């Protein structure tokens, strides 16, 4: 939470800069909203709860508020969320894993000129990342009897329902289309990664007889790597620039 507050404060200070010395007349504030498809790279949980996972894609979304300096550069505060079903742990029956990541980042973006109404751009972002994991595993024998397995270290069943915060970064590549002077159709790809695994606490059940969870929490780590494709609109506030004055009449 502290890292999120520091990032938000720094981003607010940067966005408070109204212009820079060589900004052009089309500089101004803008807001953006995008929805799309996101998926985590196939990965694994590693720790007392462990196993390979195969992610399935799901709906993702992003909102942003930023400042266009009018000289190809933009700076924005960006919030996004991805929620994915990761399937079974190591293809083990009676197990599942789900994870949701929420990010708050500051993006620095560069728009390319010379393509008419089209506006390709690239960018990089840095900020805070929160991961929430939900994992359960109760391995059984072919006869349906609970058994110990490599999925749950030291027990016959294990689970996680935990949240962890960290830092992350992202790369963006997109294409805008100027519908009007103020409205842009914005489509982009982003790659998200953390700066260190997210660690989650949970529990293990050590015995079939007493069915009591261990007092020592089970810990598992997850390396965040996600891909998203989103589309939406970007709206620049303020009136469009006035048209040029008519030429003087012939004498």
């Amino acid at each position: 939470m502290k890292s999120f507050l520091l990032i938000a404060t720094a981003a607010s200070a940067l966005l408070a800069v109204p212009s820079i010395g060589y900004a052009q007349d089309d500089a101004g504030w803008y807001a953006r909203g995008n929805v799309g498809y996101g998926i985590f790279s196939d990965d694994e949980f590693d720790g007392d709860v462990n196993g390979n996972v195969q992610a399935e894609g799901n709906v993702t979304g992003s909102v942003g508020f930023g400042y266009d300096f009018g000289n190809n550069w933009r700076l924005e505060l960006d919030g996004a969320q991805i929620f994915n079903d990761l399937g079974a742990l190591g293809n083990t029956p009676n197990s599942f894993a789900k994870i949701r990541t929420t990010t708050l980042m500051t993006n620095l973006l560069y728009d390319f000129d010379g393509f008419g109404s089209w506006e390709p751009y690239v960018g990089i972002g840095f900020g805070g990342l929160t991961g929430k994991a939900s994992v359960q595993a109760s391995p059984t024998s072919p006869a349906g009897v609970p058994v110990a397995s490599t999925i749950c270290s030291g027990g016959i069943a294990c689970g996680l329902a935990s949240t962890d915060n960290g830092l992350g970064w992202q790369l963006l590549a997109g294409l805008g289309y100027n519908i009007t002077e103020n409205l842009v159709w914005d489509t982009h790809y982003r790659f998200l990664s953390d700066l260190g695994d997210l660690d989650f606490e949970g529990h293990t059940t050590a015995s079939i007889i007493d069915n009591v969870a261990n007092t020592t929490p089970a810990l598992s780590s997850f390396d965040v790597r996600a891909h998203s494709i989103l589309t939406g609109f970007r709206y620049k506030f303020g009136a469009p620039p006035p048209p040029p004055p008519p030429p003087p009449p012939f004498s």
Side-chain angles (χ1 to χ4, degrees):
M1 182 60 68
K2 290 182 179 179
S3 62
F4 270 38
L5 292 175
L6 290 173
I7 294 162
T9 302
S12 298
L14 288 170
L15 292 174
V17 179
S19 62
I20 54 180
Y22 45 88
Q24 299 173 359
D25 292 338
D26 59 350
W29 297 97
Y30 68 87
R32 172 185 56 75
N34 302 77
V35 295
Y37 179 88
I39 188 170
F40 291 95
S41 299
D42 290 350
D43 210 323
E44 64 179 357
F45 286 89
D46 185 22
D48 288 346
V49 180
N50 59 82
N52 296 326
V53 291
Q54 296 179 346
E56 298 178 3
N58 209 335
V59 174
T60 182
S62 169
V63 294
F65 181 72
Y67 190 82
D68 187 335
F69 293 101
N71 60 353
N72 302 100
W73 290 99
R74 289 186 282 124
L75 188 68
E76 68 176 25
L77 186 64
D78 168 51
Q81 188 173 90
I82 304 175
F83 176 78
N84 272 183
D85 184 346
L86 304 179
L89 286 165
N91 294 318
T92 301
N94 298 326
S95 69
F96 72 86
K98 299 178 181 180
I99 191 167
R100 179 177 66 197
T101 61
T102 304
T103 58
L104 180 64
M105 297 199 179
T106 300
N107 296 330
L108 180 63
L109 304 119
Y110 183 84
D111 297 313
F112 295 94
D113 288 332
F115 297 90
S117 296
W118 297 97
E119 191 175 74
Y121 65 89
V122 294
I124 187 170
F126 176 80
L129 185 151
T130 294
K132 183 176 182 180
S134 178
V135 180
Q136 293 290 331
S138 302
T140 59
S141 69
V145 178
V147 296
S149 79
T150 57
I151 298 296
C152 302
S153 300
I156 62 166
C158 52
L160 298 169
S162 180
T163 301
D164 189 28
N165 297 321
L167 295 176
W169 58 274
Q170 60 186 6
L171 297 175
L172 303 99
L175 182 65
Y177 180 79
N178 294 291
I179 299 173
T180 69
E181 292 287 347
N182 294 87
L183 186 63
V184 178
W185 177 30
D186 183 301
T187 301
H188 67 265
Y189 160 83
R190 65 175 65 194
F191 170 76
L192 170 69
S193 180
D194 58 5
L195 289 172
D197 293 348
L198 297 178
D199 295 319
F200 304 106
E201 293 186 356
H203 66 271
T204 59
T205 301
S207 170
I208 302 175
I209 298 175
D210 55 31
N211 198 33
V212 175
N214 290 346
T215 55
T216 302
L219 299 175
S220 190
S221 61
F222 184 77
D223 187 14
V224 174
R225 291 189 298 271
H227 306 269
S228 302
I229 297 178
L230 303 100
T231 190
F233 296 96
R234 187 189 331 145
Y235 183 81
K236 184 183 292 186
F237 300 101
F250 292 103
S251 57

